[in-house]
Amino acid sequence: MSLTPTSQPIMPRLKRDTLISLLKKGNRIDGRAPEDYRPITIQLNPIPKAEGSALVKIGDTMVMTGVKTEIGEPFRDRPFEGVLQVHAEYVPLASPSFEPGPPDENAIEAARVIDRCLREPKAIKLDELVIIPGRKVWVIFNDIYLIDHDGNVVDAGALATMAALNTTKLPKIIGIEGDNVVIDRGVRETPLPLSLNVVTVTLAKIGGYIIVDPNLDEELIADARLTIGFDSLGRIVGLQKMGMSGFTRSELDYAIDLAFKKAKELHELLEKVLKNPETASKPIV
Amino acid sequence: MEKPVLIREDGLRHDGRRPDELRPIRMEVGILKNADGSALVQFGKTKVIAAVYGPREIHPKHLTLPDRALIRCRYHMAPFSTSERKSPAPSRREIELSKVIREALEATIFTEYFPRTTIDVFIEVLQADGGTRTAGLTAASLAVVDAGIPMKDLVAAVAVGKVDGVLVLDIDEIEDEFGEADMPVAMMPSLDRIVLLQLNGVLTREEFRNALELAKKGIMEIYRLQKESLTKKYLMYPEE
Amino acid sequence: MPKIYVANRQIVRPGDLLAEGDDVKGGDYTYRIGNKIYASVLGLANVDDGVVSVIPLEGMNMPKEGDVVIGLVTSVGITNWIVDIRGPYKAVLNANEALESFNPITDDLRKYLDVGDYIIAKIIVFDRTRNPLLTIKGKGLGKITEGKVIDVKPSRVPRIIGKKKAMLNILIEQTKCTIIVGQNGRIWIRCPNEELEDILVRAIRKIEAEAHIPGLTERVKRFIEEEKRRLGIA
């Protein structure tokens, strides 16, 4: 059951009024322009024990994605494909309003949106993850962990996920006896086969204004948000409107084109970091 | 199952429809005795029923909001609604869809008229053949009107898809499974606001714009049918 | 020059554009965006002297101070009763609005009103910040001990009463029943015999079903006359 949120942090009226009057002048409360992202850092392989991992900070929002790989059975209706599982957890330490318990609808939504953005354009070549056709395949567990919540978890989660998948190397298969596949987690050779990268761009609508990368305060007063996934070929690979209000068609038009522009920047950033991981430790805008 | 031919040589879809054609739609309002508002909606073989209870006070009181009604929404599929039995336990998909449907209704209902109450919206998918969330939201919006709860506009929804490269309106299960894109859209048509928008698939920006146009076309027709179904019972003069 | 797009008593639905212009006012169950006025419920348009409003065909009435309502006691506390009045909010009847004197230590409220009792009450306080408060002190108010209570759609209450009580008077005259209509869609009736009670209930159901069709008062009058004739009663 989905319930109107009742336990969000209180937005003081004064702060809300300030935010809106700033927007009228084209400014945001942290000094950004409406189309600016906060500073982004991408750290690769912070968790060497996992087969792949990345830590992304967008402003103060911190998300870590860890990738674990296992041998498992394929889905019955897709016997010649590996399996991708994307999950997200908004752990209680990330925000004063999070309670311990099963993933809430926001975490589930974020995970499913990112999953769809990866799955639809076939970012991971699942057909190259088959070991014994119809019986044993690689199962890719992609777990997105929100560690500090300051808004726009989806973009941070998607970026962390894409970076982590890029660093993922599959354990060596040392033997196959019948149905039994033996792996050595200590030896990782094969990079996870990827065909392209995917990023998401999230915008928020406040009054008549559209801003990119809402922080938590902006999210709390936003009328609605829109997340758009773009692959490296510039195609839309996912859409999700969130929030309790609506968009006009002209707002959507504007949002899509703006997101397309920002997606290109995010793709460039990702590629730069993947090529040169040292650049990650310095904040990059 | 092997991929069937989705667009035939004559340009029609696998079920004979034109790309811009809706399935046969049936709507009936006020079908349940207990609910404050209810509606049954069918898009082809997809059959959903929606019920609204409220506004009403629920306990515990501390869960309510002092300045508006809460909306509680549950989208759920009956175990017998799909080809393979679906477990009654809520799936992650049902949790996500309950959220996006609730958010669409939040955009239209005047919740500020009923502080400290809850409006319950329950959607049950009785038979699933594609477009269940859009049929569910279409039915839920009718049920809210039937309950007499003030709202800005009806919400009309439809899913647009891309199959074999062609954009099509109101996709069914086969087109959803074997097609390249599935885009559910919901609008408040009089106010020209899009209150639900998702994409599962790949579209270029150009295709997206065309898909949205196609969705709008379908939505206007669905909106017309919703309005008709609401006035239907009041336009029939009973014979004495 | 205001533009009004609906006729009086036309059926309208949420989102229907009723009128446009700066000099038109939107009344009940409408809302305004810019200079456009829209309906917010399913109902009958009401155009009256520059004000466009909607009379709902469905839904619960919002309680109003001064309303006479028929409530059902649902729980008994130490110093008050909780009463269901069929709206979004449960109503509260404090002991001092029902009894002359009351001692919470020695008196048990259940002796006076228990769960399942109907009362005719008046709403004395209702603002949106708390639940409606009732009183049964007053003429014609109190516990219901005989007769029958029927539920009707609250939106039909104005039609059952009629303009200047025209419809209600016909019902009373023709059936010789005592009738109290609660604003919350509950009606208490007490009739001389079962046949007249049956005719009255069916007449009320007829009003419920045909409330939006003009000429109802005449039709109801004829209906009752025919039924009485059919059953051979005066």
Side-chain angles (χ1 to χ4, degrees):
Chain A
M1 273 234 272
S2 178
L3 184 59
T4 309
T6 52
S7 66
Q8 279 170 339
I10 309 280
M11 165 63 67
R13 196 152 290 184
L14 219 57
K15 200 179 203 180
R16 180 205 178 94
D17 293 341
T18 309
L19 244 144
I20 294 184
S21 59
L22 277 173
L23 269 178
K24 286 201 171 93
K25 296 185 250 162
N27 292 329
R28 294 160 78 169
I29 207 159
D30 54 7
R32 285 187 279 161
E35 333 86 54
D36 284 349
Y37 265 91
R38 290 165 285 176
I40 302 178
T41 58
I42 305 175
Q43 216 185 319
L44 303 176
N45 274 319
I47 313 291
K49 204 159 191 189
E51 277 82 85
S53 60
L55 174 69
V56 164
K57 285 184 70 165
I58 301 185
D60 284 328
T61 293
M62 201 188 322
V63 176
M64 181 175 303
T65 294
V67 179
K68 296 293 295 173
T69 59
E70 278 179 20
I71 305 291
E73 283 179 14
F75 288 124
R76 242 183 323 129
D77 55 346
R78 285 173 204 273
F80 306 116
E81 276 183 19
V83 172
L84 170 66
Q85 295 250 21
V86 180
H87 289 263
E89 259 193 84
Y90 287 15
V91 290
L93 55 78
S95 161
S97 11
F98 290 173
E99 304 270 313
D104 90 331
E105 58 180 23
N106 294 292
I108 290 173
E109 180 182 40
R112 288 176 57 84
V113 169
I114 294 171
D115 177 311
R116 292 195 288 262
C117 289
L118 293 170
R119 200 181 293 274
E120 294 301 324
K122 300 195 189 353
I124 303 175
K125 294 183 189 165
L126 292 177
D127 52 349
E128 290 181 21
L129 294 176
V130 180
I131 305 168
I132 305 172
R135 298 223 296 285
K136 285 287 173 5
V137 300
W138 282 107
V139 179
I140 312 295
F141 287 100
N142 192 95
D143 286 287
I144 302 166
Y145 230 52
L146 171 60
I147 299 177
D148 211 354
H149 186 16
D150 194 27
N152 199 6
V153 178
V154 178
D155 289 359
L159 207 50
T161 295
M162 204 66 242
L165 290 170
N166 268 282
T167 66
T168 301
K169 288 201 162 64
L170 300 168
K172 180 178 177 140
I173 296 177
I174 48 183
I176 302 181
E177 283 160 50
D179 243 9
N180 205 18
V181 180
V182 186
I183 60 172
D184 180 357
R185 280 197 197 277
V187 182
R188 297 176 197 168
E189 303 179 321
T190 334
L192 185 67
L194 298 173
S195 61
L196 42 75
N197 285 335
V198 166
V199 299
T200 64
V201 175
T202 298
L203 313 107
K205 175 182 128 135
I206 300 180
Y209 305 98
I210 296 200
I211 55 177
V212 172
D213 179 31
N215 63 21
L216 186 59
D217 285 341
E218 292 167 332
E219 261 181 27
L220 287 174
I221 65 166
D223 300 320
R225 281 174 287 149
L226 182 66
T227 294
I228 308 162
F230 280 101
D231 65 12
S232 6
L233 304 172
R235 301 178 300 177
I236 302 175
V237 296
L239 278 174
Q240 184 91 348
K241 175 245 158 200
M242 301 175 285
M244 311 198 306
S245 184
F247 285 89
T248 64
R249 274 181 305 157
S250 58
E251 283 167 347
L252 269 188
D253 248 353
Y254 173 74
I256 297 272
D257 286 338
L258 177 54
F260 178 76
K261 222 177 74 169
K262 304 309 291 183
K264 279 210 291 193
E265 291 171 22
L266 289 178
H267 275 293
E268 277 165 21
L269 171 63
L270 180 61
E271 275 153 40
K272 189 153 71 154
V273 171
L274 289 173
K275 229 188 289 192
N276 196 359
E278 277 80 64
T279 52
S281 45
K282 292 196 304 268
I284 300 164
V285 180
Chain B
M1 184 183 161
E2 224 189 65
K3 178 173 181 281
V5 172
L6 296 172
I7 302 284
R8 311 191 313 213
E9 274 189 15
D10 56 4
L12 298 180
R13 294 147 77 173
H14 77 100
D15 61 356
R17 279 189 287 159
R18 287 184 333 260
D20 63 350
E21 202 178 327
L22 294 164
R23 289 175 284 183
I25 296 178
R26 205 186 123 204
M27 299 181 188
E28 244 182 275
V29 183
I31 41 155
L32 297 178
K33 173 176 173 297
N34 281 300
D36 293 319
S38 59
L40 172 71
V41 167
Q42 279 178 242
F43 277 64
K45 294 200 217 110
T46 290
K47 209 189 248 213
V48 304
I49 193 169
V52 167
Y53 282 87
R56 54 182 178 174
E57 289 178 299
I58 54 149
H59 306 278
K61 284 249 173 88
H62 68 261
L63 271 192
T64 59
L65 289 170
D67 57 344
R68 47 160 287 179
L70 288 184
I71 297 181
R72 240 189 345 195
C73 177
R74 184 174 107 127
Y75 161 97
H76 182 251
M77 298 182 85
F80 47 76
S81 63
T82 46
S83 322
E84 288 199 20
R85 180 187 183 268
K86 189 202 157 282
S87 154
S91 63
R92 282 152 52 92
R93 177 176 171 277
E94 286 165 313
I95 292 173
E96 184 197 353
L97 297 196
S98 299
K99 176 178 192 275
V100 300
I101 291 172
R102 175 182 60 77
E103 290 179 334
L105 293 171
E106 300 260 16
T108 185
I109 296 177
F110 282 108
T111 51
E112 61 267 33
Y113 290 5
F114 307 104
R116 296 172 296 112
T117 66
T118 299
I119 297 170
D120 281 321
V121 181
F122 301 124
I123 297 164
E124 291 288 335
V125 178
L126 302 173
Q127 185 164 258
D129 188 31
T132 58
R133 89 199 67 175
T134 44
L137 182 48
T138 301
S141 130
L142 284 171
V144 174
V145 180
D146 191 41
I149 297 173
M151 51 204 294
K152 299 187 182 109
D153 196 1
L154 291 162
V155 177
V158 79
V160 174
K162 182 170 115 183
V163 297
D164 283 350
V166 177
L167 291 177
V168 296
L169 180 61
D170 186 19
I171 51 173
D172 62 19
E173 193 175 36
I174 294 207
E175 293 173 322
D176 188 359
E177 197 177 322
F178 295 103
E180 299 97 78
D182 161 25
M183 188 169 97
V185 183
M187 289 183 69
M188 292 195 282
S190 284
L191 307 181
D192 201 33
R193 286 276 191 286
I194 291 151
V195 294
L196 184 151
L197 176 65
Q198 297 177 281
L199 170 65
N200 192 6
V202 182
L203 292 175
T204 64
R205 282 185 294 162
E206 174 84 13
E207 283 171 333
F208 165 73
R209 295 192 157 96
N210 293 333
L212 203 56
E213 267 311 306
L214 185 56
K216 171 95 200 257
K217 201 169 147 238
I219 280 169
M220 292 315 291
E221 176 60 17
I222 293 164
Y223 189 49
R224 190 186 67 77
L225 291 169
Q226 282 176 307
K227 295 204 163 186
E228 228 174 62
S229 68
L230 286 170
T231 50
K232 205 161 50 176
K233 59 177 174 168
Y234 290 103
L235 287 179
M236 284 173 22
Y237 280 58
E239 293 303 339
E240 272 287 280
Chain C
M1 192 56 206
K3 282 180 263 183
I4 299 188
Y5 299 117
V6 290
N8 211 23
R9 302 189 64 81
Q10 179 180 329
I11 294 183
V12 295
R13 296 132 313 193
D16 280 355
L17 180 60
L18 304 174
E20 203 170 340
D22 292 317
D23 39 356
V24 197
K25 280 222 212 41
D28 286 342
Y29 297 104
T30 67
Y31 70 96
R32 176 177 228 127
I33 295 188
N35 65 352
K36 293 192 170 147
I37 297 180
Y38 299 92
S40 66
V41 293
L42 172 67
L44 302 178
N46 193 49
V47 184
D48 191 8
D49 199 25
V51 179
V52 181
S53 58
V54 180
I55 300 167
L57 283 168
E58 302 291 344
M60 283 303 164
N61 275 353
M62 235 355 196
K64 280 188 315 295
E65 285 179 14
D67 277 355
V68 169
V69 295
I70 295 176
L72 179 67
V73 177
T74 58
S75 78
V76 189
I78 313 277
T79 58
N80 61 30
W81 297 268
I82 304 296
V83 182
D84 159 47
I85 56 170
R86 290 186 81 206
Y89 305 99
K90 291 271 189 292
V92 175
L93 176 64
N94 284 316
N96 61 0
E97 287 300 338
L99 309 166
E100 283 313 315
S101 65
F102 167 66
N103 186 344
I105 300 175
T106 57
D107 291 330
D108 179 1
L109 287 186
R110 297 181 70 174
K111 276 200 314 203
Y112 305 97
L113 283 176
D114 204 352
V115 173
D117 281 339
Y118 275 117
I119 54 173
I120 302 179
K122 194 179 254 195
I123 297 178
I124 46 174
V125 181
F126 180 52
D127 58 52
R128 300 281 176 94
T129 66
R130 37 201 289 224
N131 289 41
L133 288 181
L134 303 176
T135 185
I136 54 173
K137 281 181 169 172
K139 191 159 174 289
L141 306 179
K143 172 166 155 178
I144 291 176
T145 53
E146 49 171 353
K148 189 181 193 144
V149 173
I150 61 171
D151 283 2
V152 299
K153 279 187 168 173
S155 52
R156 307 297 196 254
V157 164
R159 203 66 198 86
I160 293 170
I161 297 175
K163 263 209 190 102
K164 297 206 179 62
K165 295 198 178 165
M167 181 72 84
L168 186 58
N169 286 335
I170 288 192
L171 292 174
I172 294 174
E173 280 159 21
Q174 298 271 340
T175 64
K176 311 273 193 291
C177 299
T178 311
I179 307 174
I180 305 246
V181 179
Q183 289 295 320
N184 60 336
R186 282 204 179 115
I187 304 177
W188 174 67
I189 62 180
R190 187 181 57 197
C191 296
N193 59 51
E194 261 179 42
E195 286 88 357
L196 284 170
E197 182 184 282
D198 180 62
I199 293 175
L200 175 57
V201 172
R202 285 193 292 128
I204 291 173
R205 295 293 174 218
K206 185 180 176 64
I207 301 171
E208 240 191 316
E210 299 173 28
H212 57 292
I213 305 173
L216 185 58
T217 315
E218 256 313 298
R219 282 205 304 283
V220 168
K221 186 155 178 269
R222 264 188 287 122
F223 169 78
I224 299 177
E225 283 167 357
E226 275 164 28
E227 286 301 299
K228 279 169 29 181
R229 216 174 304 141
R230 197 169 60 81
L231 293 173
I233 36 181

